[in-house]
Amino acid sequence: MSTRLFRQHHIRRSQSLDGTWDFYFPQEGTALDPFKLEAAESVRMEVPGCWECLPDRVDYRGEAVAVKRVHVGSACRLRLVFKGIGHTARVFVDGELIAEHHNAFTAFEAVTDFLVAGEHEIRIWVSNAFGELSALHVPNDYYSYGGITRPVEMQMMPLDFWLGELAVTTEQGKDGKWLLTVAGTLGGKFPHRNQLNLSVQLQVADKDLVVAVKRGAFRGQMTFEGIEPWGPESPKLYDLTATLFQGSEAVDDRIERIGFRQVRCSRGKLLLNGEPVFLMGVNRHEDHPDYGCAIPVALMRKDLELCLQMGCNAVRTSHYPNDERFLDLCDELGIMVWEENHARGLFPGSGVEGLVEHPMQHPRFREQCEAVNREMLEQHGNHPSILMWGILNECDSFSDFGRKCYAEQFEQIRKLDPSRPVTYASCHQHSDICQDLPDICGWNLYSNWYGDDDVAEALEHLLKSIEEPLRTRPLILSEFGGGALPGYHDPIRRAKWSEERQADILAECLEVYLNHPKVVGVFIWQFCDVRVDPSWAMRRPRTMNNKGVVDEHRRPKLAFETVKQLFTQRSTRVTE
Ligand code: ADA
């Protein structure tokens, strides 16, 4: 249960491996051999957790080994599901390497051969070092934490095959009826064997359907009347239960929580269930001084409650796929989500010193982006709250090479999920050459913070520079705002870094953006103050990005009330 906020299996046996693990760190200046740990420093540490939360590891960047012994009751394969390891992991079971994964923000599985009943050992080599291993984790304006930072689940699989990912889409017909399409695959070692006589029963609301499994895949469609659609005012969720049968025996199952809803862009508007909507949101990093990026559910809920109090109806998961439990909460609370792949500010000159000048030419960039996009869509595609996929925040969208990368990634995403619009946040005014590629134009515009410009004029200037793509596309202001050091006040409200100036900048921006006919959404930068990489310190007092409307402990700054007033005056629905 710990990996999601609802039960996903009644048949499949599954156990949480959250809790205390043994971690081993190398002696300074030495490398770590995962199987020779005698000289290593050992610590007991909680999973999920970041090692930066250990008093002696607050800024540790490097490798570690995590060990856990587990008891297996009867012979089976183990399917280990890691929801997030920061950022590169190699998984060994009983000494054998069974999986390797890059990127902290998507889940992956590690499957063993059949194991006998008894004690077994899971050993994970994990590294958050910058450089060769990761093209996407770079010293950045947020912190790349280390450790097993999201939940871990151990599933006991008695067979060679099981239900894999399910992809659900919902569409409303002209007659008002809803069409549900479920496409699924089998996971496991021999999912393509045809002679197994496999079928899948799909159950939603009061309907069910049985479909055959052919070559390891299945597909079913069901029509519904009288469905309550998912939307911000009424986030109705339904359980979809898929049961795998071998002959007449139910051998595996999977429950997904879905919503009936349809997203589309038409004539410059963003439509949810056919009605134009206006997004009022914040950008949010997974970050807290006490937990790093391993945010407990109670704190996720608090963050969202604060967002709702502020009048928000949307969140952008800048700049990576978020913890599924956070997305579960968004589904439940009716918060509309821009979910984003993992990349921020990758353009020539921001590369890793001595390795690559242009980070998008890092030898692993293409392969790692492909994997993050695929995993993000497969793993999060059934969340009704996610309305759009974003990619490559403020990356190279101004060179021919960069354009190829954007085009290739949009193509991959659209192929996997044609049901949602795609977008990206740009800041390269006048040099961006990719605005014709997404369905929604996203712009980060820091009026009155990095420059002193008139907000309305700056927006008009931007609109002019992307006039052609905006003829058919809506515009979202994906970032704007200013920094405020918590508790620093300026009675004449002019000093940058004061809470007053931040509140005024946000008010000046929102007064223009919330009422502009071209704009269909706004995302304030940012929800809370976050830790940044030390290399950013000279631009970031406290080595933090201080543009939060609440501070790192979620204590509201002056801007919170200002935003609340402006957001609550504006309604989600757009009247034309
Ligand atoms: C960018 C970027 C954010 C953050 C912000 C800022 O637009 O997308 O990650 O760095 O600027 O605070 O300047």
Side-chain angles (χ1 to χ4, degrees):
M1 258 291 274
S2 67
T3 61
R4 298 297 293 270
L5 299 188
F6 58 96
R7 190 167 174 165
Q8 282 207 291
H9 306 282
H10 291 299
I11 298 175
R12 189 182 300 183
R13 286 189 304 139
S14 159
Q15 184 189 321
S16 165
L17 293 188
D18 294 357
T20 311
W21 287 52
D22 291 310
F23 274 73
Y24 297 85
F25 294 93
Q27 297 283 353
E28 218 174 311
T30 65
L32 199 59
D33 178 336
F35 293 97
K36 289 202 188 94
L37 298 174
E38 296 75 21
E41 186 196 322
S42 87
V43 212
R44 306 274 283 158
M45 198 179 122
E46 296 312 297
V47 166
C50 300
W51 58 55
E52 288 80 358
C53 300
L54 297 169
D56 297 337
R57 299 278 162 192
V58 279
D59 60 352
Y60 178 67
R61 191 157 296 289
E63 53 178 345
V65 168
V67 180
K68 178 106 183 153
R69 296 196 66 78
V70 294
H71 182 82
V72 174
S74 54
C76 65
R77 289 182 190 279
L78 290 184
R79 177 174 185 261
L80 303 169
V81 184
F82 299 94
K83 295 290 179 166
I85 296 190
H87 57 65
T88 292
R90 292 185 190 129
V91 180
F92 303 83
V93 173
D94 298 336
E96 194 193 332
L97 177 68
I98 57 165
E100 172 155 357
H101 186 260
H102 297 272
N103 180 45
F105 304 114
T106 44
F108 66 100
E109 65 169 18
V111 180
T112 68
D113 281 331
F114 267 91
L115 301 182
V116 295
E119 287 271 308
H120 295 275
E121 188 210 67
I122 303 170
R123 200 172 274 239
I124 299 169
W125 175 84
V126 45
S127 170
N128 72 342
F130 293 136
E132 274 166 53
L133 285 174
S134 183
L136 307 177
H137 288 268
V138 296
N140 221 327
D141 202 6
Y142 55 91
Y143 200 85
S144 267
Y145 291 95
I148 304 178
T149 54
R150 289 182 185 169
V152 184
E153 200 175 319
M154 177 170 84
Q155 301 177 349
M156 283 68 81
M157 314 306 268
L159 299 171
D160 280 330
F161 54 86
W162 46 84
L163 281 170
E165 299 295 341
L166 298 176
V168 176
T169 44
T170 52
E171 282 164 74
Q172 191 169 32
K174 289 219 166 60
D175 54 4
K177 289 184 190 161
W178 283 89
L179 178 69
L180 170 78
T181 307
V182 183
T185 50
L186 296 193
K189 290 269 168 182
F190 306 106
H192 300 300
R193 275 217 310 238
N194 258 343
Q195 63 273 35
L196 292 169
N197 187 19
L198 299 177
S199 61
V200 173
Q201 181 187 39
L202 302 169
Q203 290 171 294
V204 182
D206 55 352
K207 289 210 169 181
D208 65 283
L209 172 75
V210 176
V211 290
V213 178
K214 287 192 189 127
R215 272 178 252 106
F218 57 91
R219 191 168 184 277
Q221 287 197 313
M222 293 152 111
T223 310
F224 293 86
E225 263 176 274
I227 276 296
E228 210 183 302
W230 185 95
E233 291 101 16
S234 158
K236 173 74 182 164
L237 298 171
Y238 291 83
D239 279 347
L240 158 70
T241 305
T243 310
L244 178 66
F245 281 85
Q246 183 167 29
S248 59
E249 191 192 351
V251 292
D252 192 29
D253 67 344
R254 184 177 180 125
I255 299 162
E256 286 290 305
R257 224 172 41 170
I258 62 165
F260 287 80
R261 60 110 188 86
Q262 193 166 3
V263 195
R264 229 158 34 87
C265 291
S266 171
R267 292 190 290 137
K269 296 277 177 252
L270 174 65
L271 307 180
L272 177 65
N273 303 331
E275 300 285 327
V277 281
F278 192 89
L279 308 181
M280 289 174 284
V282 284
N283 285 277
R284 176 178 171 275
H285 269 300
E286 294 177 323
D287 196 87
H288 188 279
D290 295 340
Y291 305 107
C293 65
I295 306 287
V297 181
L299 182 57
M300 293 178 192
R301 189 180 287 281
K302 178 176 177 177
D303 284 1
L304 286 170
E305 292 295 345
L306 283 166
C307 289
L308 287 170
Q309 275 178 25
M310 211 169 32
C312 291
N313 61 13
V315 169
R316 174 174 171 228
T317 70
S318 49
H319 300 299
Y320 36 78
N322 271 21
D323 189 308
E324 284 175 307
R325 297 166 301 169
F326 181 77
L327 299 170
D328 283 343
L329 286 170
C330 292
D331 291 344
E332 288 175 14
L333 296 169
I335 308 256
M336 297 177 277
V337 177
W338 160 331
E339 170 130 295
E340 183 149 291
N341 75 358
H342 182 209
R344 181 206 165 277
L346 307 179
F347 48 78
S350 67
V352 179
E353 232 181 281
L355 183 69
V356 60
E357 200 267 334
H358 187 338
M360 285 163 72
Q361 285 170 357
H362 186 292
R364 292 174 183 260
F365 175 79
R366 208 162 162 227
E367 150 218 339
Q368 292 186 351
C369 285
E370 190 279 331
V372 175
N373 290 339
R374 179 172 29 79
E375 291 167 344
M376 171 174 82
L377 268 73
E378 276 177 8
Q379 294 161 14
H380 298 174
N382 297 335
H383 287 280
S385 56
I386 298 178
L387 297 202
M388 64 194 75
W389 303 115
I391 64 167
L392 303 177
N393 171 76
E394 292 190 353
C395 291
D396 170 6
S397 51
F398 46 80
S399 75
D400 290 343
F401 165 75
R403 185 177 161 91
K404 265 195 208 132
C405 298
Y406 275 86
E408 185 176 277
Q409 294 198 28
F410 281 136
E411 193 187 334
Q412 180 200 5
I413 291 177
R414 285 189 171 117
K415 232 183 231 160
L416 291 170
D417 179 10
S419 78
R420 287 178 173 92
V422 293
T423 186
Y424 73 96
S426 177
C427 64
H428 307 298
Q429 214 173 324
H430 301 303
S431 57
D432 193 301
I433 52 165
C434 297
Q435 290 290 297
D436 58 318
L437 297 176
D439 302 302
I440 300 172
C441 298
W443 278 85
N444 300 344
L445 209 57
Y446 281 89
S447 285
N448 282 343
W449 180 250
Y450 290 118
D452 283 313
D453 39 5
D454 180 84
V455 176
E457 268 173 32
L459 178 61
E460 288 314 318
H461 201 64
L462 169 71
L463 296 176
K464 242 185 149 30
S465 72
I466 51 169
E467 208 169 349
E468 195 45 45
L470 277 189
R471 271 189 220 292
T472 48
R473 290 171 183 78
L475 172 70
I476 290 181
L477 274 317
S478 36
E479 290 181 30
F480 56 95
L485 295 169
Y488 170 46
H489 291 284
D490 173 24
I492 57 164
R493 309 185 74 89
R494 277 203 287 276
K496 279 188 174 167
W497 301 112
S498 68
E499 290 197 28
E500 288 78 6
R501 186 71 197 115
Q502 180 197 33
D504 290 352
I505 290 174
L506 284 170
E508 287 153 21
C509 290
L510 286 173
E511 270 153 17
V512 173
Y513 303 160
L514 290 177
N515 300 307
H516 199 286
K518 280 277 174 208
V519 180
V520 301
V522 295
F523 290 92
I524 290 169
W525 189 269
Q526 61 180 335
F527 171 65
C528 67
D529 293 347
V530 301
R531 183 175 175 183
V532 303
D533 187 81
S535 57
W536 281 72
M538 297 316 287
R539 283 173 279 175
R540 298 282 181 255
R542 310 193 296 149
T543 322
M544 300 198 68
N545 187 313
N546 297 291
K547 298 189 190 73
V549 281
V550 301
D551 73 6
E552 63 277 26
H553 296 285
R554 280 52 175 168
R555 292 172 299 204
K557 301 182 192 168
L558 273 184
F560 186 91
E561 268 309 309
T562 311
V563 172
K564 182 176 172 181
Q565 274 179 20
L566 290 161
F567 272 2
T568 44
Q569 279 163 19
R570 172 110 185 43
S571 122
T572 299
R573 295 279 164 205
V574 178
T575 39
E576 280 178 303

